[in-house]
Amino acid sequence: MNQNLEFKLQAWLDGELSGSEAQAIEREVAADADVARLAAELRTVKSAMAGNETARVVPETREFYWSKIQRQIERESAQPAPARRMAVWRHWLSPLAGLAGLACILILAIKPGTPATFDEISSTGEGMEAVTFHDQSAGMTVVWLADSEREQPQIQSPAPKTEEGGSGVEVE
Amino acid sequence: MSSHEDKSEVTDTDLVTAAQKGGMEAFEQLVARHRDKIYARAYGMMRHEDEALDLSQEAWVKGWQRLAQFHGDSSFATWMTRIVINLCLDQLRKQKRQRAESIEALEEESGGVERYMPAVNPNPTAHLERTELRGRIDRALGQLSAEHRTVLVLHEFEELEYKEIAKKMGCSIGTVMSRLFYARRRMASLLAGLKREKTE
């Protein structure tokens, strides 16, 4: 008897075969005494085992058995909490850290090693205020002269703006 | 209220609902009700008292942690049984990895001597008292390899289909059929041998 037939015979007994396959096996059982004997043996084991598992009782008292479970539950419920908090932090910090890293890269890539864009010197005289910018990257100095009696100039970078009552003078 | 107060009139569903709300006392009642069944399943697969105790207790801890996932699609006992079966299968896999490839392990797949045995007839278990039959089956199961025992337990006692067993055991349906076939043949041989021992 080949292995395929043996396994199909078993599948037939277990109700795992389709109608046509089951009918084919039934014909084999009817026609071959060896197949019929093997079917009887498999059926015997199957029916003997059905519902005949030995019952077993926990070999510990209810209190002791439960105390071990309870201790483990408490131990494990104490442990995951920090882990969960860390997971939340990781969830939010990871993208932020990524963005910060990207920003650093962009800054360094665009102007590698560039010092502060411009220095600012401010001096105030009687009735006059002078504000000087020096843009090192552009090699340019801008001096603002403004009437301190009037509105203070609004400083914006990088292009100097002439406020009303003041004038911009470019110095090489 | 004492945690050991008899709540036999309370259904599992009510106890599960209470436990899902954090009621440890209700969960203890569930453990008390079903602990023997869960332990028996673990013992049936591991055949080792300490391992069965540890795994059954681990199953209850997992059950508590996953209680929110229980929606009543099966009975609570069935749900817990599935948990302990999975833990036992994990443990058996670990043990198998640690075990060196042996002739015995190879024979499990190819059938070993059972492949060449004539069919056992007549029925060696006929006319046995139920208790005696259970005892013989239990002793025979104890002599099987872990793979053969597991597939028999899952098919005959848990009544799982081939594809469910294959999924749980992480193998093909063909392997399940092969293991089940040779496990049954070995069981038939063992039960016949036990009968002979009795009559001698």
Side-chain angles (χ1 to χ4, degrees), chain A residues 117-131:
Chain A
T117 308
F118 52 102
D119 301 323
E120 178 184 314
I121 302 162
S122 177
S123 63
T124 308
E126 194 177 333
M128 179 68 70
E129 184 174 274
V131 180

Side-chain angles (χ1 to χ4, degrees), chain A residues 3 10-11 14 16 41 44 48-49 51-54 56 58 60 62-63 65-66 68 73 76, chain B residues 4 28 35-36 41 43 56-57 65 119-120 123 130 134 137-138 157 162 177 181-182 184-185:
Chain A
Q3 209 172 47
Q10 172 180 250
D14 289 331
E16 296 259 359
E41 182 193 90
T44 295
M49 289 189 73
N52 278 319
E53 185 176 19
T54 298
R56 284 201 159 73
V58 173
E60 288 178 348
R62 174 175 169 169
E63 290 79 9
Y65 187 74
W66 168 248
K68 289 195 285 182
I73 287 172
E76 291 196 15
Chain B
H4 293 169
E28 194 277 335
R35 67 189 198 129
D36 289 339
R41 174 53 58 246
Y43 187 90
S56 68
Q57 283 164 346
Q65 291 167 342
V120 175
N123 182 356
R130 194 176 175 86
R134 284 184 173 182
I137 288 169
D138 191 54
F157 297 151
Y162 292 173
M177 291 169 81
F181 179 79
Y182 293 117
R184 279 174 167 155
R185 295 227 64 198

Side-chain angles (χ1 to χ4, degrees), chain A residues 4-145:
Chain A
N4 187 44
L5 177 59
E6 290 173 340
F7 293 170
K8 280 204 169 177
L9 180 65
Q10 172 180 250
W12 169 65
L13 289 168
D14 289 331
E16 296 259 359
L17 289 188
S18 64
S20 58
E21 283 180 310
Q23 283 167 3
I25 293 296
E26 279 170 29
R27 283 194 294 273
E28 288 277 354
V29 172
D32 189 325
D34 287 341
V35 176
R37 267 193 295 274
L38 182 59
E41 182 193 90
L42 295 173
R43 193 181 284 117
T44 295
V45 174
K46 184 177 169 66
S47 61
M49 289 189 73
N52 278 319
E53 185 176 19
T54 298
R56 284 201 159 73
V57 177
V58 173
E60 288 178 348
T61 64
R62 174 175 169 169
E63 290 79 9
F64 185 59
Y65 187 74
W66 168 248
S67 71
K68 289 195 285 182
I69 294 166
Q70 191 176 23
R71 265 203 307 278
Q72 191 64 22
I73 287 172
E74 286 166 358
R75 197 178 304 136
E76 291 196 15
S77 65
Q79 281 172 353
R84 275 199 300 272
R85 277 199 295 275
M86 281 302 293
V88 171
W89 277 109
R90 271 198 299 273
H91 176 76
W92 290 106
L93 285 179
S94 298
L96 285 176
L99 282 173
L102 185 64
C104 288
I105 290 165
L106 282 172
I107 288 166
L108 291 171
I110 291 167
K111 290 194 175 177
T114 305
T117 308
F118 52 102
D119 301 323
E120 178 184 314
I121 302 162
S122 177
S123 63
T124 308
E126 194 177 333
M128 179 68 70
E129 184 174 274
V131 180
T132 307
F133 300 96
H134 177 65
D135 188 334
Q136 291 181 356
S137 61
M140 182 179 75
T141 302
V142 177
V143 179
W144 281 77
L145 299 172

Side-chain angles (χ1 to χ4, degrees), chain B residues 85-128:
Chain B
I85 285 172
N86 288 338
L87 287 172
C88 289
L89 289 171
D90 285 346
Q91 183 66 16
L92 289 168
R93 270 191 281 270
K94 279 180 205 160
Q95 290 173 357
K96 191 179 179 183
R97 275 198 292 272
Q98 289 163 1
R99 198 175 67 199
E101 278 295 323
S102 62
I103 293 171
E104 187 189 338
L106 293 170
E107 282 184 345
E108 274 167 16
E109 302 302 330
S110 60
V113 292
E114 284 75 27
R115 191 169 182 185
Y116 308 102
M117 284 190 325
V120 175
N121 279 303
N123 182 356
T125 61
H127 313 301
L128 285 179

